[in-house]
Each structure stands twice: as structure tokens, then as C-alpha cells.
Amino acid sequence: MAADATLTTPVLSWGLCLALSPLIRAVMWEFANKVTPCRGSTLSGGRGDRPRERFTIFSVPPAMDRKPKQTEKARPYGLLKPTALGKIPGRFQLHQEALPHLPVPPLQQTLDRYLLALQPIISEEELNHTQELVAEFRKPGGVGERLQKGLERRAKKTENWLSDWWLKTAYLEYRLPVVVHSSPGVVLPKQDFLDRQGQLRFAAKLIEGILDFKTMIDNETLPVEYMGGKPLCMNQYYQILSSCRIPGPKRDSIVNYAKGKKQSRHITVVHNFQFFELDVYNSDGSPLTTDQLFTQLEKIWNTSLQTNKEPIGILTTNHRNSWAKAYNNLLKDKTNKESVRTIEKSICTVCLDAPMPRVSEDIYKSRVAAQMLHGGGSRWNSGNRWFDKTLQFIIAEDGSCGLVYEHAPSEGPPIVALLDHIVEYTKKPELVRSPMIPLPMPKKLRFNITPEIKNDIEKAKQNLNIMVDDLDVKVMVFHQFGKTFPKSEKISPDAFIQLALQLAYYRMYGHACATYESASLRMFRLGRTDTIRSTSVDSLKFVQSMDSPDKSDQEKADLLRRATQAHREYTDMAIRGNAIDRHLLGLKLQAIEDLVSMPELFMDTAYAVATHFNLSTSQVPAKTDCVMCFGPVVPDGYGICYNPMDEHINFAISAFNSCAETNAARMAHYLEKALLDMRILLQSTPKSKL
């Protein structure tokens, strides 16, 4: 959502958040098979949880606008002597402590809004049944009140009553592969290099840009972001570098090497499935220059020309339980353990990819989106990754480039802020040619492949290739207009696009569905996301009227405006911590923690329908002309991400080929028609006061 120049309500911050807990998602899959201001948004961009808008989310100055002083010999935080730091709490800590705690919404309010949210997506008979369950749940002194009090006690004892639960249920206990099902990709504009030299030169500049941004994180000089005049939690910025996910048999964990005495000094570079440790700091703590990095990357390239190596990284694409077993087996060998630890401790990973087969211009971006999400399969670049690494930058020899990130530590805004900074940095002219001090050869990471590990790799290849074949991705650049048009009509661009999605889906299927858009909770300490439910009573009235001969254009336009206003109001409610989804999840988890029987409210078919998000959407605004992409969160659903630019909109739409009812290209067609029809409708009718 966007808090636009013409509107004062703040908007969402996108967070590619795998918005759904394993508990909820498991129900969904089973159910489906059976039946500174910142420049950005209040949407939270993320997988099932991904939206955003333009309400000014990133106040990080572009690289070219900042004074050179800031980057001259700036040392990483962990490389400074303790005396240079003193014992005074850092800016980051002081800022965080001043943020408010996430509230627990009033129980009766959430239950009323839950019933309202169900109206457009379930039958009257089902609604009547659920009303009875809600009446039982909300009785004075009843189970709902007891669970609510438990949540309120938890809120008093913790920094954020939701954040730990959310991290565990939405990510660390989620057992499907992170590839496609959790980790978002970003497609960056195609670069104009066409050979190895260009690829390595761009990679070197990109790495220098990463280190430039890292300096601001290390020195705590990253400007605080604001939304609607309120400061936002900056914690996620401190989680994305030097971190990695570790597989476990029932629950994964995250390690972070950004702080402490032994702070990471290296990145991992992958080429032809071979991993290298590249130290990116000089002995005095200053980062390597582009020239130095280029020389080191050339050394890596020239010592990894063989293309017959075992793709050890493909193990990270498997089901989390299978990968946890293979991981423990892999680490029995001392050499393997050292290599894996080096990858985990690295600042980030840079993947130097082989070019993909040439395709026509109209499907090029869709092919790149697939590359960013999964690497194209075992025959192509999927083995050129370590998918548990939080940040992986991908640069192919043919100029295609982007990123894939592991979702657990962060939503999208910090990732996009970093990307925007890097893209600006790569355009900066190189002012000084660095003196070429001889640098040590980057260390190649060795792996001893036993027959058992070889077998694990083969199984992972098979499973990955099934996933790759199943994913249907379509990138659509909508050229007819961008966010300028809805703003000229005094309508939030995000609300306008969400209504177009509602209209497209209704025209395709003849009914509305549960729709997820993520809202940022970063106004609160350690805030992650909640859900904006884009399907509402008002949105259903609009989409039903749009093709009805019984309604005049003026009536349709009024219904459209009323529906966009309702969307804005829900957004505003969500970012202030008053949405329903996380509260209901908290009540459910509180019941599990209290070891009481699960309330019938959560066993109800209506709850399964309400959390079965056929449309999982996110607005991810960026300065860069890029688009984020992610997979659907249910077998018969769509994953839709968009970046509204001034005069065009970038969409990435995903579906599964294994579902006969869904088709990404068909959704793109209906979405384009919906956007155009809505524009014609507004242009043909005068604005009326609602």
C-alpha cells in the first residue's frame, strides 16, 4: 500500500514474509488437496506475506550523494578496537529501546472483524455455524478470555509477544524446501556486459557496494526509517549480513556472525558449483577496491573452469528434514565441516552463473525470475547456490542478474534498500585506481564426497527438478500506466492494484477468495508483519457490479472508490497492530502452550478457508526498476508481487503447473484487462463524494 502524496494514511512496508505458520500452511495444503521519511510502503513484502507501498520507506542516501569521507577506510564494527567504541549504548540500541511494544488487540474487536472478513469468502450456512463458535469462544470467563489474558501476560514479559513465535512457526519449523516455497527472488535490470570480463567487473563493483552499505550497518550510521511520521524498527538490517540458516530435524536455527570479536571478513563466491572464500578486507580493515576484487574474481574463475564437479549446494534445495539428515552426514568429515562453516560465516554469497539458453525478449524476464528463484534445475545453475545463506547475489555471464534471499531473518524492505544502494553504487565512476598490492589466492573450499553424500545429492537433484518443472512464472511489465494515474484520482496505487487483482480473480473463477497482503509491524520493537485482507465486503460488491448490466458506470465507480477506501482503512489498522490474523494465531499458539484442548474456532472449516490464501500478494516498491518474485503459498494459488513505478508497473505472477485450475499467463491477461477497465471506468465518471 502506499501512502501517497495525495493521501496522508501511511502504507504498508513489503516484507517477503512467508506469512503463514507451518500450522496454518499445513492445513492449507491438506485442505487444498482434499477440497525518512522512508520511500516505500507499509506493506511488508514477502512470500505469503508480501506487500508494500509508497510511503517513503528508505532514507538511505544514494551512494553518489554521500560524502566520500564516509567510505574512506571505514572499518567494520567488529574490526574496531574496544577503546574506539566505549561503553556507551550504540545509536541502534537507544533507538530500539524507544520503540513501543506490539499491542495485543482487544478480543471482541478481533472476533467481530474476523466474522466480517469471512462474509465474502464462505457460504451463509458456514457463516452461521462460525458465528455460533465465535459466540461460545467470546463468552465472559470462557476459553477466549483465558487465552487473551495469557497473551497479555506474554506481552508484558517479552519485547514482542509475537516475534519469537512467528520466527519459529512461519520459518524455522516450516519443513517444505526454502526454494520456491519460502525464499523470494529479485530480478534486477539486465546489464549490458556480454562476456566474462564484464561479468567479473560488475560483480566486483557490486561487492564493493555491499561493503559500502555494510559500513553503515557496522558503524550504526544507517538513517532511521519513518512511516507516517513514526520511527521504524531497524533490527532486520542487523540480521541480513553474515547470517545463515542451519537445518535441523524438526526446527531450523539461524546463526549470525555480524557481531563479536571474530566478525566475518569474507564472502563466498560460487562458480561452476565450486565454492571459494574471498577475504574482502585489507589488513588495515579497509575494504578491497573494485580493481582488487576484480583481480581476485579472475583468480577464482581461472581455477574453477571444470564443469564436472558435484553440485554440493543442491543439497540446500531439499525438504528441510531430508537436508538436516544430509547436513549431519556431510559434517562428519572434518574438511567438509570447515568448508560449510566458512560458507555460513561469510558476509554473503556471490554466484557467478553460466548463461542460460537464449530466449525471446517477451519471456526473457520470466526466465530470469525462475533463475533467481531456483537456478533453473540441476542441469543449469541450481548447484551454484547455498540456499540457506541469507543473501545470494546472482550475476550471469549474459548480463542477467538479481538476488535470492532466505526469508527468516528479514522482510523485503531492508533487502530492497540494500539493492537500491548497490545499484546506485555500481553507476558511480571509479575515482582512484588502487595500488595493486599482491593479494593471497582466494581459498577453494574442498568437499569429500562419499557414496552416501553422492546419493543425497542425486535425491536432491530429482526433487528439485520436479519443483522447477512445476513452477509457472510470468513477469509482466504493464506499460499503459503506473502509480501516477491512481494518485491523480486520489486513490492509493496499492489499493487500486489490489482491487484489480480481486476483479481479475473474480472474472476467472466466479467467486472471491482469501487474499493475503503483508503489512509491516515495524512501528513496534522487533515488529515483523501482519495480514491485510484485501477481500472485503466492499471489494466483493465492486467486482460483482463491474460486469453487471444492472449497474450504471457511476454506481460502479462509486463502489470502486468505496472498496479502495476500505482497503486503505484496513491497511492503516494493520500497521498499527490491530489486524486479526496474528492475533488469532497468537490465541491458537497460546492454547497449544497452555496444553488446553484446541478451541473449536480453530478446527472450523471457515478458519481453514480464511487461511487458505489463493492470492498471496505483496507490493515491493523500489527506486530500481526491478521486481520481486515468490511462489504460491497453497497448491491451487498464485504468488503475485508488484513494483509500481511512475508510468508502468512490474508484476511477477507464479502458479503451479500441477494445478489444472491455475495459470500465470492467464492471470496476467485478466489482470491487465482489469487495470485497463478500471481506468476507463474512472475516466468516464465524475468523482462523487462517498
Side-chain angles (χ1 to χ4, degrees):
M1 330 239 96
D4 315 312
T6 53
L7 300 166
T8 56
T9 314
V11 195
L12 303 164
S13 133
W14 68 291
L16 253 60
C17 164
L18 223 215
L20 315 165
S21 78
L23 296 168
I24 294 174
R25 290 173 62 107
V27 170
M28 290 179 171
W29 282 81
E30 188 178 339
F31 183 77
N33 291 330
K34 288 182 184 172
V35 256
T36 322
C38 328
R39 90 173 146 63
S41 90
T42 86
L43 300 178
S44 157
R47 287 202 31 71
D49 204 274
R50 317 171 182 113
R52 257 181 67 128
E53 254 210 9
R54 156 185 153 46
F55 69 61
T56 58
I57 213 173
F58 307 170
S59 53
V60 179
M64 293 190 290
D65 297 343
R66 292 192 288 107
K67 295 176 184 173
K69 237 184 216 179
Q70 279 184 288
T71 56
E72 282 172 14
K73 294 214 172 183
R75 297 187 180 188
Y77 184 77
L79 300 184
L80 293 171
K81 294 178 181 176
T83 51
L85 297 173
K87 294 183 180 177
I88 303 167
R91 286 175 52 182
F92 168 64
Q93 185 185 338
L94 292 171
H95 164 72
Q96 290 295 111
E97 287 173 356
L99 292 170
H101 289 254
L102 179 69
V104 178
L107 179 64
Q108 304 302 334
Q109 170 186 290
T110 291
L111 295 175
D112 288 341
R113 288 172 175 171
Y114 174 54
L115 290 172
L116 200 60
L118 289 175
Q119 283 185 35
I121 57 174
I122 63 173
S123 69
E124 193 174 341
E125 185 185 352
E126 287 172 316
L127 185 61
N128 290 337
H129 175 67
T130 303
Q131 284 171 336
E132 291 172 14
L133 298 180
V134 167
E136 181 64 29
F137 188 78
R138 76 194 319 168
K139 276 183 182 172
V143 64
E145 221 169 73
R146 289 199 302 275
L147 295 176
Q148 175 77 359
K149 283 176 182 169
L151 275 189
E152 289 166 354
R153 283 193 297 272
R154 180 183 172 90
K156 284 177 185 171
K157 292 187 301 187
T158 57
E159 274 196 284
N160 184 306
W161 65 265
L162 175 64
S163 57
D164 281 351
W165 269 348
W166 184 247
L167 179 65
K168 287 173 187 169
T169 57
Y171 301 110
L172 302 183
E173 292 172 358
Y174 185 59
R175 299 288 83 194
L176 286 180
V178 293
V179 180
V180 174
H181 297 287
S182 177
S183 297
V186 180
V187 178
L188 286 173
K190 189 176 192 295
Q191 300 302 307
D192 57 8
F193 58 79
L194 292 168
D195 58 11
R196 173 177 66 93
Q197 291 282 105
Q199 179 188 19
L200 299 187
R201 175 63 61 180
F202 179 77
K205 193 74 179 174
L206 177 140
I207 294 165
E208 195 178 19
I210 296 167
L211 299 178
D212 187 64
F213 193 86
K214 183 177 182 295
T215 297
M216 290 192 287
I217 294 175
D218 290 338
N219 297 338
E220 300 189 10
T221 56
L222 197 64
V224 170
E225 297 167 359
Y226 288 80
M227 181 169 68
K230 295 184 184 292
L232 299 183
C233 176
M234 300 294 287
N235 179 62
Q236 291 174 33
Y237 281 98
Y238 295 82
Q239 311 305 321
I240 58 176
L241 296 173
S242 311
S243 59
C244 193
R245 184 162 169 163
I246 311 292
K250 291 183 180 176
R251 178 195 293 168
D252 294 353
S253 56
I254 299 172
V255 290
N256 189 316
Y257 295 92
K259 294 190 175 141
K261 292 178 184 175
K262 295 191 175 178
Q263 192 192 32
S264 306
R265 298 178 54 103
H266 69 278
I267 65 168
T268 309
V269 179
V270 208
H271 178 237
N272 280 337
F273 309 160
Q274 296 159 70
F275 289 78
F276 291 81
E277 176 185 357
L278 172 56
D279 198 331
V280 289
Y281 290 101
N282 290 302
S283 55
D284 66 353
S286 62
L288 298 191
T289 64
T290 299
D291 287 340
Q292 289 175 308
L293 289 164
F294 175 74
T295 300
Q296 296 298 80
L297 291 172
E298 273 203 314
K299 292 177 188 173
I300 287 172
W301 181 284
N302 291 328
T303 52
S304 55
L305 296 174
Q306 315 93 309
T307 56
N308 61 346
K309 297 294 182 181
E310 284 292 342
I312 194 78
I314 219 149
L315 291 172
T316 63
T317 68
N318 218 347
H319 186 281
R320 300 309 293 177
N321 290 350
S322 304
W323 168 216
K325 263 190 213 169
Y327 180 87
N328 289 333
N329 186 38
L330 184 66
L331 266 60
K332 287 175 186 171
D333 179 275
K334 188 184 174 186
T335 300
N336 294 347
K337 187 173 184 176
E338 286 175 3
S339 296
V340 169
R341 290 286 182 259
T342 300
I343 295 169
E344 291 168 352
K345 291 178 181 179
S346 62
I347 295 164
C348 64
T349 298
V350 172
C351 311
L352 301 174
D353 274 13
M356 289 293 290
R358 287 180 178 266
V359 293
S360 61
E361 194 62 34
D362 59 326
I363 64 166
Y364 170 76
K365 284 189 176 179
S366 301
R367 174 64 65 83
V368 177
Q371 275 293 296
M372 297 306 124
L373 282 171
H374 53 56
S378 63
R379 289 182 58 238
W380 299 105
N381 292 302
S382 298
N384 223 42
R385 308 276 187 276
W386 193 267
F387 281 100
D388 285 2
K389 197 71 193 140
T390 305
L391 286 175
Q392 295 194 96
F393 297 89
I394 299 159
I395 304 155
E397 201 175 330
D398 58 9
S400 57
C401 60
L403 157 150
V404 61
Y405 81 96
E406 200 288 299
H407 208 328
S410 172
E411 266 69 64
I415 310 297
V416 168
L418 170 59
L419 274 179
D420 279 339
H421 181 85
I422 292 167
V423 169
E424 283 302 310
Y425 195 93
T426 57
K427 298 172 186 172
K428 193 167 86 167
E430 290 168 44
L431 304 174
V432 185
R433 306 290 289 186
S434 56
M436 295 310 289
I437 306 158
L439 293 167
M441 177 71 198
K443 181 185 174 185
K444 187 170 189 174
L445 303 182
R446 305 285 174 183
F447 289 94
N448 294 321
I449 310 294
T450 63
E452 196 177 350
I453 294 169
K454 167 77 172 159
N455 186 45
D456 288 336
I457 290 172
E458 290 307 312
K459 283 181 187 169
K461 280 184 186 179
Q462 290 169 16
N463 293 335
L464 171 72
N465 290 337
I466 291 167
M467 273 198 298
V468 167
D469 291 342
D470 194 24
L471 188 69
D472 173 22
V473 188
K474 168 75 175 174
V475 173
M476 175 181 82
V477 181
F478 178 78
H479 286 292
Q480 284 80 353
F481 60 85
K483 60 187 175 186
T484 304
F485 169 69
K487 286 166 78 171
S488 73
E489 293 286 331
K490 303 287 191 290
I491 291 174
S492 151
D494 183 70
F496 188 87
I497 293 167
Q498 284 290 327
L499 260 289
L501 287 167
Q502 291 296 311
L503 180 57
Y505 190 92
Y506 186 81
R507 283 172 165 175
M508 289 173 76
Y509 298 102
H511 59 85
C513 69
T515 303
Y516 184 103
E517 182 182 13
S518 72
S520 172
L521 293 177
R522 287 177 61 211
M523 278 188 189
F524 306 100
R525 197 184 308 179
L526 303 183
R528 294 293 299 250
T529 62
D530 208 326
T531 307
I532 298 165
R533 287 190 165 266
S534 302
T535 307
S536 64
V537 171
D538 290 300
S539 73
L540 183 59
K541 283 179 183 174
F542 162 65
V543 300
Q544 286 174 333
S545 77
M546 190 62 181
D547 297 319
S548 169
D550 300 330
K551 297 280 186 185
S552 68
D553 283 354
Q554 188 61 59
E555 286 175 299
K556 293 174 185 178
D558 288 348
L559 288 170
L560 191 162
R561 290 181 182 279
R562 190 170 293 119
T564 57
Q565 187 55 37
H567 187 271
R568 292 283 312 199
E569 287 165 5
Y570 200 111
T571 297
D572 194 48
M573 177 183 82
I575 63 174
R576 282 168 169 70
N578 279 304
I580 65 172
D581 282 76
R582 298 299 179 270
H583 187 200
L584 290 171
L585 175 64
L587 293 166
K588 183 178 178 180
L589 294 175
Q590 188 68 47
I592 293 169
E593 196 165 280
D594 291 350
L595 300 175
V596 298
S597 59
M598 184 58 65
E600 282 189 58
L601 184 69
F602 301 115
M603 310 295 285
D604 183 25
T605 305
Y607 187 69
V609 173
T611 53
H612 185 92
F613 293 108
N614 293 94
L615 285 177
S616 173
T617 71
S618 179
Q619 179 179 210
V620 182
K623 286 180 182 175
T624 307
D625 192 7
C626 62
V627 66
M628 187 171 278
C629 47
F630 44 80
V633 298
V634 293
D636 57 340
Y638 293 94
I640 303 178
C641 198
Y642 49 98
N643 177 14
M645 308 298 282
D646 285 342
E647 302 303 332
H648 68 276
I649 308 169
N650 297 327
F651 288 97
I653 301 167
S654 68
F656 290 120
N657 289 316
S658 53
C659 177
E661 285 76 43
T662 56
N663 181 284
R666 189 164 171 258
M667 171 57 80
H669 169 76
Y670 275 86
L671 176 56
E672 182 172 22
K673 186 175 187 317
L675 287 163
L676 292 171
D677 288 351
M678 286 165 62
R679 179 175 70 169
I680 290 167
L681 178 65
L682 290 174
Q683 287 176 333
S684 66
T685 54
K687 298 184 182 74
S688 64
K689 291 183 181 178
L690 293 179

